Amino acid sequence: ENSQPQIQVIEDEERDYNQRHCAARNKIEGVIGDIKNRFDLLSNKYRRTPRTHHEIVVIASAIHNFVIKKRLS
C-alpha cells in the first residue's frame, strides 16, 4: 500500500526526465545539422583521422557560435 505513491513519483520523474532529454537531444541534433550544412568539410565525403575530424568539428562549432553571436548570417 505504501509503495504505490513512491512508484508513481518515480514514474513521473522518469517521464519528466525523458521529455527534457528528448527536447535537448532534438535541439542538439538541429544545431549539428545547421553546422554540417554551413561547413562542407563536415560532410562524410572527406576521409580524415578521428583527431583531425575532432579538430575540424571544434573549430567549425566555434565559428558557428561566433557567427550566431555577431549575427553575421
Side-chain angles (χ1 to χ4, degrees):
E1 194 174 306
N2 290 340
S3 65
Q4 186 62 26
Q6 184 179 6
I7 291 171
Q8 185 64 41
V9 169
I10 291 170
E11 289 173 354
D12 290 345
E13 288 175 355
E14 186 174 350
R15 184 194 69 244
D16 292 344
Y17 169 81
N18 287 339
Q19 287 174 341
R20 288 190 305 272
H21 183 269
C22 183
R25 183 177 178 144
N26 287 339
K27 183 70 171 176
I28 290 167
E29 288 178 357
V31 169
I32 290 170
D34 291 345
I35 292 172
K36 286 177 81 173
N37 288 334
R38 186 180 297 250
F39 300 101
D40 187 54
L41 278 172
L42 298 175
S43 70
N44 293 330
K45 63 185 173 186
Y46 301 104
R47 292 208 177 265
R48 61 187 73 81
T49 66
R51 173 73 181 175
T52 301
H53 189 72
H54 170 79
E55 291 171 352
I56 290 170
V57 168
V58 169
I59 292 166
S61 298
I63 294 169
H64 175 77
N65 289 337
F66 176 80
V67 167
I68 295 299
K69 185 176 181 180
K70 298 296 182 179
R71 293 185 176 100
L72 298 175
S73 174

